[in-house]
Amino acid sequence: MSLKESFNQFLSDRFNKESTTKLTRKREKELGLGELIAIALGGMVGGGIFSILGIATEYIGNATPIAILIGGVLASFAAYSYVKLALFYKDEGATYSFFKKSFPGSPLASSAIGWLIVFGYISTLALYAFTFASYFCSQIEALNDPLWQKIVAGLVITFFAAVNLVSVKGMGKLEDLLVYSKIIILLFISGMLVGKGDIQNLYPVFENQTTLNQILVVSAITFVAFEGFQLVIHAYNEMDDPQKNIPRAIYSSIGIATALYVVLAISALATIPKEIIISDKEYALAAGAKTYLGTLGQFMVIFGALLATSSAISGTLFGASRLMAVVANDGYFPKSLGRKIKVHIPDRAIITMSVLAFILLATGGLQVILEFGSITFIGVSLLMAYTNYKKRKETNSSLLLTIAALLGLFFAGLLIIYFEFTVNKEQFYYILSIYVLLGMGALFFAKRNGKKEA
């Protein structure tokens, strides 16, 4: 049995049960540290780096690698709370389960975290599909316009939804190929860019118009590129020595992803003129790739982007649809979304997530999707940091690190919101309207669940 097949089988078994039912299957302990790091990297290294590079360069130019590095540090602070809570609760349910167990008397808390985390995954699904379509369409002149990009994005979501609906095993085999191939190709791309680049293009690092505030805003925006490390926690009952391997796997994977992103950013800025990266920011790494890296380089960039985003779409749809089914079975989404076909496949959750992701990418551009996703996951991580603060004695957490995580995530969220409000009010109100709708949905189901429990 391959790594992904065993992990997928575990998730299927776990999410097919009611969320309050204990896992009774004997722990097989199939996953070691190397496999756990691969799971986390498979979730993190998706469309993020391909999406953020152009937008970051537009705002802060050569300071982009510094912003990405700060984003990695912020992700590490966020991960601290997840690690501590995972080791305390010993529960593979991660975000939703931790919050629900920490605030058992509050249906609104459970509903709110369920809605936030599920729609956060929907935003990343839209981001990965949008990035896939942008890179794919950039190579076909007849398709290289916004309408066709959205059509192709819808088609790729439909394809992976169909794969997930038809076969868990088939999805697992496909994911094996995508996850391991994309890491190798991204490293190869970095090497090609380094070989062709000129270090002088990286100076000055801080250009006249670049401010510290802008760098910190971009750091917060990059947060969505690190989303996925918590997938390790979902494999709690499948791993060797979770008390040691969870922190090792999560912190190692964030470090590896940060290093990879920084190297890619430095290499791209050293090789491809910034004006080209900015003008074609939806497919920044592909912009000018043929001119500066040759035909092979262009092929590797496009192929790497398509592999990375495909893997992320498939994995996100698989795991998040099962989470949606769990939340639905708990009464915080329509009960029908918890229904499963073929024993393990939550068909209505898969279809619903796919449709909502397409609506998001059809009505918003790359920047809207990217910033909505970052705000959402910063918000969810902030709630996790608050939960860990409340449970800091039980989790044996450092007060200094816990407060640092709280403050870092809080100010990162404020920076993005302030940036949106001052730079693009129309986009700000669009994102705000989504949160209003999410809040109304969470409140409605929390009240309905509260009445049932009463």
Side-chain angles (χ1 to χ4, degrees):
M1 180 182 289
S2 70
L3 164 63
K4 280 291 176 180
E5 285 180 65
S6 63
F7 183 47
N8 291 340
Q9 184 62 49
F10 159 72
L11 283 177
S12 295
D13 289 344
R14 183 261 181 270
F15 286 118
N16 187 48
K17 301 176 183 292
E18 292 293 325
S19 63
T20 55
T21 301
K22 296 293 183 182
L23 191 68
T24 57
R25 188 165 61 90
K26 182 180 178 181
R27 181 184 291 180
E28 297 175 3
K29 298 184 179 180
E30 295 178 349
L31 304 179
L33 180 60
E35 291 87 355
L36 295 173
I37 291 173
I39 288 170
L41 287 174
M44 278 193 289
V45 184
I49 185 58
F50 293 98
S51 305
I52 65 176
L53 185 58
I55 289 175
T57 302
E58 182 177 15
Y59 287 113
I60 59 173
N62 287 335
T64 294
I66 295 174
I68 293 173
L69 179 60
I70 296 172
V73 173
L74 182 64
S76 297
F77 278 122
Y80 181 76
S81 301
Y82 280 90
V83 168
K84 288 296 185 179
L85 290 167
L87 300 184
F88 173 64
Y89 282 119
K90 299 178 174 61
D91 189 316
E92 71 279 7
T95 309
Y96 178 68
S97 291
F98 299 161
F99 206 70
K100 186 179 176 183
K101 287 183 175 182
S102 297
F103 303 96
S106 175
L108 181 57
S110 298
S111 184
I113 198 70
W115 278 70
L116 268 180
I117 191 66
V118 167
F119 277 84
Y121 283 127
I122 288 170
S123 72
T124 59
L125 192 60
L127 174 64
Y128 301 148
F130 190 99
T131 305
F132 179 101
S134 297
Y135 275 81
F136 180 83
C137 293
S138 71
Q139 302 305 299
I140 304 173
E141 188 174 350
L143 302 181
N144 196 16
D145 67 69
L147 177 60
W148 273 109
Q149 286 174 359
K150 291 178 179 181
I151 291 172
V152 171
L155 290 174
V156 74
I157 290 175
T158 302
F159 171 76
F160 283 107
V163 171
N164 274 271
L165 286 168
V166 170
S167 171
V168 170
K169 185 176 180 180
M171 177 269 174
K173 289 183 176 180
L174 180 61
E175 189 75 354
D176 268 345
L177 174 65
L178 297 177
V179 166
Y180 296 111
S181 298
K182 73 180 179 183
I183 301 296
I184 296 171
I185 290 173
L186 288 174
L187 290 172
F188 184 76
I189 292 169
S190 299
M192 291 189 70
L193 288 167
V194 168
K196 296 286 185 177
D198 182 356
I199 198 68
Q200 295 302 316
N201 292 334
L202 294 170
Y203 296 106
V205 175
F206 302 103
E207 297 165 84
N208 293 332
Q209 69 274 22
T210 302
T211 65
L212 176 61
N213 184 63
Q214 287 176 314
I215 293 173
L216 293 176
V217 167
V218 173
S219 298
I221 292 173
T222 66
F223 191 81
V224 73
F226 296 95
E227 184 280 320
F229 61 79
Q230 64 270 42
L231 288 174
V232 169
I233 300 170
H234 289 307
Y236 189 94
N237 287 342
E238 289 289 296
M239 67 179 71
D240 290 320
D241 199 355
Q243 295 293 310
K244 288 185 178 180
N245 281 335
I246 284 179
R248 288 175 179 175
I250 288 179
Y251 294 132
S252 296
S253 61
I254 291 174
I256 293 168
T258 302
L260 179 58
Y261 293 165
V262 169
V263 169
L264 273 171
I266 290 173
S267 304
L269 288 167
T271 308
I272 304 170
K274 287 193 289 293
E275 56 269 20
I276 295 179
I277 294 176
I278 293 169
S279 64
D280 297 318
K281 57 178 172 285
E282 289 86 358
Y283 44 94
L285 279 176
K290 185 174 184 180
T291 302
Y292 297 97
L293 296 180
T295 303
L296 175 62
Q298 181 190 36
F299 172 78
M300 294 303 292
V301 168
I302 300 300
F303 189 52
L306 299 185
L307 270 181
T309 50
S310 295
S311 169
I313 292 167
S314 182
T316 299
L317 191 55
F318 179 90
S321 63
R322 281 149 179 81
L323 175 60
M324 178 180 259
V326 168
V327 178
N329 285 327
D330 282 351
Y332 299 118
F333 278 128
K335 280 285 187 183
S336 60
L337 296 181
R339 193 194 75 169
K340 293 180 173 67
I341 58 171
K342 296 183 179 179
V343 183
H344 297 306
I345 301 173
D347 58 317
R348 293 189 181 181
I350 291 171
I351 293 169
T352 300
M353 289 196 73
S354 300
V355 170
L356 290 173
F358 180 72
I359 291 172
L360 182 59
L361 67 85
T363 56
L366 172 62
Q367 193 164 335
V368 167
I369 298 169
L370 184 62
E371 290 168 14
F372 172 74
S374 288
I375 293 170
T376 301
F377 280 109
I378 286 174
V380 169
S381 297
L382 179 61
L383 290 173
M384 287 294 99
Y386 174 71
T387 303
N388 190 44
Y389 174 78
K390 295 286 286 184
K391 295 285 185 179
R392 65 188 181 280
K393 292 182 180 179
E394 292 95 322
T395 61
N396 194 29
S397 296
S398 162
L399 180 60
L400 179 62
L401 289 177
T402 303
I403 291 177
L406 271 170
L407 293 177
L409 291 162
F410 177 74
F411 284 112
L414 280 185
L415 280 171
I416 300 184
I417 293 169
Y418 174 77
F419 172 78
E420 285 291 331
F421 183 74
T422 55
V423 174
N424 192 335
K425 286 190 178 181
E426 183 178 342
Q427 187 167 287
F428 170 80
Y429 289 124
Y430 175 81
I431 293 175
L432 182 62
S433 67
I434 296 176
Y435 285 119
V436 170
L437 291 174
L438 295 185
M440 291 170 62
L443 183 61
F444 172 79
F445 282 95
K447 285 185 174 180
R448 193 170 75 170
N449 236 26
K451 288 178 181 178
K452 285 182 180 178
E453 292 175 1

